[in-house]
Amino acid sequence: MAQHASSSPGMSSSSGASTSPGMSTSPGEPSSPGAPGASPRRRRARLTDGPLPILAAAVLWGTTGTAGSMAPSGAPAPAIGAASLTLGGLLLLLTTRGAWRLFTATGAEQRLLAVGALAVAGYPLTFYPAVARTGAAVAAVIALGSAPVFTGLLAWATGQARPTARWAVATLAAVTGCAVLVLGPQLTGGPAHMDTVGIALAALAGLSYAVYSLLGGRLIGRGHPSAAVMGAMFGAAGLLVLPVLLATGTAWLATVRGAAVALHLAVLPTFLAYRLFGHGLRHTPASVATTLTLAEAAVAALLGITVLGERLPVVSWCGLAVLSLGLALLTVPGRPGRRGSR
């Protein structure tokens, strides 16, 4: 599949049918385990290779808000994000075989890596200021909800894949459900805080996520191991945000609670989650992957209830149900044999 430079991760098909629930590609590409005629065992293997690792990564990302809320009161939000990316990114780089070779790859691949690293670094530098201006709920909805749309449009514009009706319906359901889930308290009369600059920053965060997901998939599609791609991209991004960490202060890292929060964010939502995400990108189009990661919002909401004692109104539970249906539509393999859509 994605080991071949001529194919995109998770999207190759000998008949023009999409090998994943979300996107279709041009005819003449190699067949894959999800293609029509594949055995049920091979289709199940594709499910565990692609969507499930991405959902597992989203579960780990969903712990970020709860963990961040436990940081010392004096820890600036940008410093928390920069610390997790610096520590986790360097951990990915130093523990991944072959990651260093990407820095000496072809000129085109070095450019993909450089832009991808800038996009990775751009996410915390836009998202955390957006949280400060609009609040966590609004920023999360805009960043998480815009990322799948940006990814699908960018993939279509660059000729990597074209959206199918199934992807469009599932993404619309997931984005709508995510918005209702997170904004439920405000929709039922809770306080609302809107800021034009904050909204723009959150949208840039979603664009950053879309860009590095697509470029990571491109590098994986050129035959590079997924772990090496994530290690090189996030290691370089960690170095890029290191000045932000130093400028915003590191005293909170010397406390037991601060060190525990930083280690959690570096090891689980960064190191392990992006290992899983990179593996999933080898078998799943980036447009589908970014929609699946909307599960992060559901996990964050459930942790808020069980760990932080938060309460959700009925409308938020309805949003959670719609979000789950959208994710299920992308995760469960469709019936083989239909040309061009699944």
Side-chain angles (χ1 to χ4, degrees), residues 281-297:
L281 273 181
R282 180 170 290 282
H283 305 277
T284 307
S287 54
V288 176
T290 50
T291 300
L292 290 172
T293 56
L294 289 171
E296 175 186 345

Side-chain angles (χ1 to χ4, degrees), residues 19-79:
T19 67
S20 86
M23 307 292 283
S24 60
T25 55
S26 57
E29 295 179 340
S31 61
S32 74
S39 68
R41 179 179 297 178
R42 295 185 72 187
R43 288 197 295 272
R44 285 195 298 271
R46 185 181 61 81
L47 177 65
T48 56
D49 282 341
L52 291 186
I54 291 170
L55 287 173
V59 169
L60 294 174
W61 290 330
T63 68
T64 302
T66 300
S69 69
M70 297 179 179
S73 57

